[in-house]
Amino acid sequence: MATGRLGSTVLSASDTNTLIYTVPSTKCAIVTIAATNLTGSATRLYVAVTSNTANTPSDSEWLEYGVSLNPLGVYERTGVVISSNMRVICKTPIANSLAINVYGFEQDPT
């Protein structure tokens, strides 16, 4: 059972859905999704949880859609419960502007 930081990256491409973390097929997870704006400019964050293996969430799978992050600002979404094989996807319109971290734990879905 994994605990702690489950996935992290800097979003290196603009307007590109980027896979941050996938829940293993035999587990479920409770996570916190954190984003840090690394720049002196405001940007936007998009966050989805999807089962789509092409990393293309449907409209109903977006948790955040264009939330504004101030320069050097922080975003945090806690207590996100995710089923097996689901994926956390993020994107931003400005490349290399956001560091994304997913923290939490995996457990058996009983």
Side-chain angles (χ1 to χ4, degrees):
M1 172 169 61
T3 62
R5 186 166 62 179
L6 303 172
S8 67
T9 194
V10 172
L11 300 178
S12 60
S14 62
D15 292 317
T16 301
N17 292 338
T18 302
L19 174 64
I20 311 299
Y21 166 68
T22 303
V23 181
S25 62
T26 60
K27 302 289 182 188
C28 65
I30 301 173
V31 303
T32 294
I33 303 165
T36 303
N37 185 345
L38 303 172
T39 72
S41 301
T43 190
R44 289 186 305 278
L45 170 67
Y46 300 79
V47 179
V49 175
T50 182
S51 61
N52 186 309
T53 57
N55 298 337
T56 308
S58 67
D59 288 347
S60 66
E61 294 177 313
W62 292 101
L63 300 179
E64 299 291 350
Y65 199 82
V67 66
S68 182
L69 267 77
N70 292 326
L72 305 175
V74 176
Y75 161 91
E76 189 173 82
R77 181 79 174 251
T78 62
V80 181
V81 180
I82 309 174
S83 302
S84 63
N85 296 314
M86 298 294 280
R87 300 161 158 248
V88 175
I89 306 293
C90 294
K91 71 177 180 176
T92 185
I94 303 172
N96 298 310
S97 64
L98 294 179
I100 308 294
N101 287 279
V102 175
Y103 297 94
F105 62 94
E106 298 167 349
Q107 65 183 32
D108 294 329
T110 53

